Amino acid sequence: AHKVLESNDVIVGRGDYKRSAIGINPDGSIVFGQVSYYGEVIVNGENYTINGVNCGRSANSIILYNNRYGTSTGTNESGIEIVVRNNTVTNILRGKGNSPIPYDGFVISAHGSAIQNFSNVSVGDSIYVQEMAIDDYGNFDDAVHIIGAGPRLVMGGQVYVTADEESFPSDIRVGRAPRAAFGVTIYGDYIFAVVDGRQAHSRGCTLQEWADILVNQFGAVDAINLDGGGSAELIVKGNVVNSPSDGKERPVASALMILPK
């Protein structure tokens, strides 16, 4: 997933591109912008770049798994995994994989050429992680939740589709498909919107058409696209109110919810 996801000030997912995102401030106000991730692990006086958070471990990479991912890393045996609690190494698994993730800690998982960065690490050593969600204008400095998605669809009440700028692949950028979006009106009201697609009753829409709908029919002054296709789903009071294109609900990694206080 090419996005940054932050929940209650904990970064729980990240991707490789600067992509559009929304930030939710403590007072419920929404900020829009583009955000990217930077993280590093510090051990024995050396700093190493983190290549992913709570995602599949790719070749020659360093991945951080925290308790938002689950109870274990789900990795294969072709790497090294360092279990950390209270910034102290409590266990090291070489050639085993699928390490348990401590609720009060994290696991550093390395593969291929990245393994050598941790060849001298021992149980009892100190390890620190530094992470930042970065944007150019400080829009997200106060945000306690960040959901990266994209592309941007509406800015300042005008259609503003940034699919090319944000390097979205053609299966998202081109053609009609089921779509989902989040936006706000001039009054600060939230917009949760979904359009069906890939079905007899609805072909879906292009990103440009989707942006036009959000501006002209929903009154959006700002909006971003969310994951579409079979993931496009809207639930109201426990009931699915649209027609997901898979014919059933698809498991997803994240969702936006409005809940009573």
Side-chain angles (χ1 to χ4, degrees), residues 29-101:
S29 60
I30 304 295
V31 292
F32 291 78
Q34 290 185 347
V35 65
S36 58
Y37 168 91
Y38 179 76
E40 61 183 16
V41 55
I42 305 165
V43 57
N44 294 332
E46 299 291 338
N47 297 35
Y48 304 107
T49 299
I50 295 171
N51 305 113
V53 179
N54 293 343
C55 59
R57 188 185 64 199
S58 56
N60 306 313
S61 63
I62 298 173
I63 308 298
L64 170 67
Y65 294 101
N66 59 38
N67 61 32
R68 303 300 179 88
Y69 186 72
T71 57
S72 63
T73 62
T75 51
N76 60 31
E77 298 177 351
S78 302
I80 182 175
E81 299 204 312
I82 301 166
V83 183
V84 182
R85 296 179 63 188
N86 298 318
N87 295 318
T88 302
V89 177
T90 59
N91 196 10
I92 300 174
L93 288 81
R94 292 180 170 90
K96 293 183 179 180
N98 199 28
S99 301
I101 303 172

Side-chain angles (χ1 to χ4, degrees), residues 3 7 25 73 80 98 105 117 159 178 185 192 194 200 217-218 220:
K3 61 186 179 181
S7 177
N25 292 324
T73 62
I80 182 175
N98 199 28
N117 298 331
V159 171
T185 71
F192 285 62
V194 168
Q217 297 188 31
F218 288 89

Side-chain angles (χ1 to χ4, degrees), residues 79-179:
I80 182 175
E81 299 204 312
I82 301 166
V83 183
V84 182
R85 296 179 63 188
N86 298 318
N87 295 318
T88 302
V89 177
T90 59
N91 196 10
I92 300 174
L93 288 81
R94 292 180 170 90
K96 293 183 179 180
N98 199 28
S99 301
I101 303 172
Y103 181 78
D104 55 351
F106 55 88
V107 174
I108 297 293
S109 182
H111 175 273
S113 60
I115 293 175
Q116 64 186 7
N117 298 331
F118 305 98
S119 58
N120 295 323
V121 175
S122 302
V123 171
D125 286 351
S126 296
I127 284 189
Y128 300 92
V129 166
Q130 294 183 342
E131 299 178 282
M132 292 178 288
I134 302 169
D135 71 288
D136 293 336
Y137 303 104
N139 293 342
F140 297 90
D141 287 353
D142 297 326
V144 291
H145 305 285
I146 299 173
I147 296 180
R152 185 76 171 263
L153 297 173
V154 181
M155 183 170 69
Q158 302 295 317
V159 171
Y160 185 74
V161 180
T162 57
D164 291 335
E165 175 188 341
E166 297 182 33
S167 302
F168 276 92
S170 60
D171 63 327
I172 296 174
R173 190 177 70 250
V174 178
R176 292 186 171 93
R179 306 285 184 184

